[in-house]
């Protein structure tokens, strides 16, 4: 496979993964598909999980992956960037994509480990309060579904966060692999050419 064709093969999934990351991050701002919690979230009176506000999916998995995807796609286009210089630049843009994927991966991992912010109570803390009940659990709550009922509001917030942060985790992992492959592909394209006619 020519390096230009490989670039097209890498860029198209990056577009899809960037869109998935952006959509997941935006959805995380509205737990339970309800705007009430985003509207009432204030400094000192949080209603949205802190890791959502880091915007790992929007910035890291979205914008920082979309910019390389556009350039990597252009390296596969005839008479545009399908030359050694374009392939050389794609290495730098793919490195930007790697940085974005690592950021998104880190934020999603933190979101899964710390758990959601919710209005919660349990037998040890019978007075309902806003907080992150699974913060010190090191992610153990993920395998203990009985503890998910501690969160009263937003409804089903644990399932909501686990599903979306897991999707972000998978998307960022695939983005990381694709951008690393493009860095190697760009190096070969820079050194050996893009398999063009000239």
């Amino acid at each position: 496979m020519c390096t230009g064709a490989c670039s097209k093969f890498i860029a198209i999934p990056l577009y899809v993964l960037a869109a998935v990351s952006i959509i997941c991050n935006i959805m995380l701002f509205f737990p339970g598909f309800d705007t009430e919690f985003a509207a009432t979230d204030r400094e000192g009176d949080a209603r949205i999980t802190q890791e959502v506000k880091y915007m790992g999916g929007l910035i890291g998995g979205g914008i920082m992956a979309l910019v390389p995807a556009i350039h990597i796609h252009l390296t596969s286009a005839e008479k545009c960037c399908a030359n050694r210089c374009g392939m050389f630049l794609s290495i730098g843009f793919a490195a930007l994509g790697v940085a974005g994927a690592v950021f998104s991966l880190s934020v999603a991992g933190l979101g899964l480990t710390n758990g959601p912010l919710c209005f919660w109570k349990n037998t040890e803390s019978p007075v309902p309060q806003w907080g992150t009940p699974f913060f010190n659990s090191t992610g153990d709550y993920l395998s203990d579904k009985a503890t998910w009922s501690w969160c009263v509001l937003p409804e089903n917030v644990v399932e909501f966060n686990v599903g979306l942060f897991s999707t972000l985790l998978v998307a960022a992992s695939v983005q990381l692999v694709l951008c690393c492959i493009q860095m190697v592909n760009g190096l070969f394209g820079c050194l050996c050419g893009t398999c063009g006619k000239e």
Side-chain angles (χ1 to χ4, degrees):
M1 178 184 289
C2 293
T3 57
C6 184
S7 293
K8 185 180 241 178
F9 179 76
I10 290 170
I12 292 170
L14 279 178
Y15 287 130
V16 174
L17 292 168
V20 166
S21 295
I22 290 169
I23 290 167
C24 283
N25 202 142
I26 291 170
M27 286 175 64
L28 280 164
F29 276 102
F30 307 103
F33 303 104
D34 193 348
T35 59
E36 172 192 348
F37 305 103
T40 58
D41 186 70
R42 301 284 180 267
E43 187 69 37
D45 191 24
R47 296 291 181 262
I48 295 175
T49 305
Q50 189 64 36
E51 290 78 16
V52 174
K53 298 174 192 174
Y54 298 159
M55 294 193 282
L58 184 66
I59 295 170
I63 295 168
M64 289 179 75
L66 195 56
V67 171
I70 291 167
H71 182 78
I72 291 167
H73 194 201
L74 289 174
T75 59
S76 68
E78 287 291 321
K79 297 181 181 152
C80 183
C81 298
N83 55 38
R84 291 175 193 248
C85 181
M87 292 306 279
F88 177 74
L89 289 174
S90 79
I91 297 170
F93 282 109
L96 176 70
V98 166
V102 167
F103 176 60
S104 183
L105 192 68
S106 302
V107 171
L110 271 176
L112 282 172
T113 303
N114 295 339
L117 180 120
C118 61
F119 191 67
W120 69 283
K121 67 176 182 173
N122 62 15
T123 54
E124 295 172 13
S125 300
V127 177
Q129 60 186 329
W130 281 97
T132 51
F134 311 114
F135 185 73
N136 292 323
S137 71
T138 63
D140 295 339
Y141 76 96
L142 292 169
S143 59
D144 187 7
K145 288 189 177 184
T147 60
W148 293 11
S149 62
W150 293 357
C151 286
V152 180
L153 287 174
E155 286 186 40
N156 302 318
V157 70
V158 179
E159 294 92 333
F160 190 80
N161 276 22
V162 167
L164 291 172
F165 275 126
S166 296
T167 304
L168 280 173
L169 197 71
V170 170
S173 299
V174 175
Q175 285 174 335
L176 183 64
V177 169
L178 289 173
C179 287
C180 286
I181 291 170
Q182 179 56 33
M183 289 175 76
V184 173
N185 182 50
L187 180 64
F188 280 117
C190 182
L191 297 175
C192 306
T194 58
C195 300
K197 293 179 182 174
E198 294 184 22

